Amino acid sequence: MNDTVFQVIEEAGWIAPLIFILLHVFRPVLLLPVVVFYIAGGYLFGIFYGTIYTLIGLALMSAAFYAIVNVIPSARHYLSRIKNKLFGNRQMTIGQVNILRMMPFIHFQVLSLFLIEITSSFREYMRYSVAGVILPTITYTSFGGFITTMPWYATLSFFGFLAIIFFWFGQNQDDTKAEFNAIMAKARS
């Protein structure tokens, strides 16, 4: 089976990576979690090329998503409702959004919507969007097989660790705001 898959990809030549990259753009419509593509990229193309193709695909998908939510208000409204159901009125930092991107089944487009709301321009959104997927892409492409074969308690420990980091980023942001407000109060007096 494995030899057949690799033979088909090898015979497809440059079209196989192109199809894989384009599938990233259409992944949200296919309702597939992004982690499936991370792991598939590593499996089909190896760690290096799988990471490169996945980063290109996610960058194109992020750009397309930005255009869609700004052109189709109903899409933005729909995702805002999902965001409010999942997170309530919680405000997040860019660091928290990027930590959540490490968790495989958190809604990728909702996190992209957070980034759109946090950033002030398309360029800034793309910079943080691409930077935010580098670590998960490398991690899941490299360790995709390892993570999926870990025992359930090891997987829960891994995601528990990510949750602790997520809340730490929120605390760190609150402390920074408090320090800033104290400095501003002293400056006013």
Side-chain angles (χ1 to χ4, degrees):
M1 170 75 178
N2 287 346
D3 294 335
T4 306
V5 170
F6 293 122
Q7 184 178 4
V8 168
I9 290 171
E10 189 174 302
E11 289 175 6
W14 62 270
I15 199 87
L18 180 65
I19 290 170
F20 181 73
I21 290 168
L22 290 176
L23 280 174
H24 275 283
V25 176
F26 296 105
R27 182 198 55 77
V29 177
L30 301 172
L31 301 175
L32 293 170
V34 72
V35 73
V36 170
F37 284 83
Y38 289 144
I39 294 169
Y43 176 77
L44 296 173
F45 301 107
I47 294 169
F48 180 76
Y49 288 112
T51 299
I52 298 297
Y53 299 152
T54 298
L55 286 173
I56 292 168
L58 289 174
L60 290 173
M61 187 209 47
S62 294
F65 175 77
Y66 188 91
I68 289 168
V69 298
N70 286 313
V71 172
I72 305 171
S74 60
R76 186 180 200 126
H77 178 70
Y78 172 75
L79 286 168
S80 291
R81 285 193 356 236
I82 293 173
K83 183 183 96 168
N84 288 334
K85 284 181 183 177
L86 293 174
F87 300 103
N89 291 327
R90 181 175 175 86
Q91 298 298 316
M92 284 197 231
T93 65
I94 291 171
Q96 287 176 313
V97 170
N98 289 337
I99 292 298
L100 285 176
R101 286 215 166 148
M102 287 293 296
M103 296 183 180
F105 296 105
I106 301 291
H107 200 292
F108 194 87
Q109 272 58 48
V110 168
L111 296 176
S112 293
L113 184 61
F114 267 114
L115 280 181
I116 288 173
E117 293 170 352
I118 294 169
T119 56
S120 60
S121 67
F122 174 72
R123 183 182 193 136
E124 184 181 17
Y125 162 77
M126 285 301 295
R127 184 169 20 124
Y128 286 119
S129 188
V130 171
V133 297
I134 291 173
L135 186 59
T137 300
I138 292 169
T139 301
Y140 288 119
T141 302
S142 300
F143 301 110
F146 175 70
I147 289 172
T148 58
T149 60
M150 285 189 331
W152 65 270
Y153 56 86
T155 303
L156 285 178
S157 298
F158 176 71
F159 292 119
F161 175 72
L162 290 177
I164 290 168
I165 293 172
F166 170 77
F167 288 112
W168 179 79
F169 267 105
Q171 286 297 107
N172 194 17
Q173 180 71 14
D174 293 341
D175 294 344
T176 304
K177 283 181 183 177
E179 287 176 29
F180 176 76
N181 289 336
I183 291 169
M184 292 306 290
K186 283 182 184 179
R188 285 186 215 125
S189 33

